[in-house]
Amino acid sequence: QAQLVESGGGLVQPGGSLRLSCEVSGFTLELYAIGWFRQAPGKEREGVCSITDSKGVAYYAESVKGRFTISRDNTKNTMYLQMNDLKPEDTAVYYCTLFLTGSKWDDAKSWGYWGQGTQVTVSS
């Protein structure tokens, strides 16, 4: 059974940066697809980005392309989400996810394990 523990959320001004971390236990991170989702109040959970294969090719939602970067450190069994040039519309609870079971990385139903979520608020 995998456990995912997130950290790094908080309050940041527009244009600022944050880095989210997600430490994984119970699974060897480098063997599995990883991803980040977010959910704003009153909205469905949406896919932010993912690395789905061993080559490390990343996929991003159009709304975050060029601003967000997904990565992982296999030696620490930890994945990261670097968020730059943050905007108020990026405000949401962010979730890390592991173990892609479906064909669509941006479909929340395609993933097996989830972190508990961390709040990111972008406001002046």
Side-chain angles (χ1 to χ4, degrees), residues 2-111:
Q3 289 190 322
L4 290 69
V5 179
E6 300 166 11
S7 60
L11 173 65
V12 63
Q13 292 187 341
S17 298
L18 279 176
R19 189 177 79 155
L20 306 183
S21 300
C22 176
E23 185 174 359
V24 177
S25 59
F27 271 58
T28 301
L29 188 63
E30 65 180 315
L31 300 179
Y32 298 95
I34 58 173
W36 289 90
F37 279 69
R38 66 186 181 187
Q39 188 165 19
K43 294 188 176 181
E44 292 187 357
R45 193 170 295 191
E46 66 168 343
V48 176
C49 53
S50 174
I51 296 176
T52 62
D53 61 27
S54 60
K55 297 179 181 177
V57 175
Y59 300 91
Y60 295 91
E62 285 296 325
S63 59
V64 306
K65 273 184 181 177
R67 301 188 297 122
F68 289 13
T69 303
I70 184 174
S71 63
R72 60 181 159 197
D73 185 336
N74 293 330
T75 64
K76 297 180 179 179
N77 227 39
T78 299
M79 67 177 88
Y80 302 97
L81 180 63
Q82 178 67 44
M83 304 184 293
N84 299 328
D85 190 23
L86 282 160
K87 304 176 180 182
E89 52 264 40
D90 295 318
T91 295
V93 177
Y94 282 72
Y95 300 88
C96 58
T97 187
L98 177 72
F99 197 65
L100 183 63
T101 60
S103 59
K104 297 181 179 181
W105 73 264
D106 57 350
D107 184 347
K109 294 189 287 294
S110 293
W111 294 88

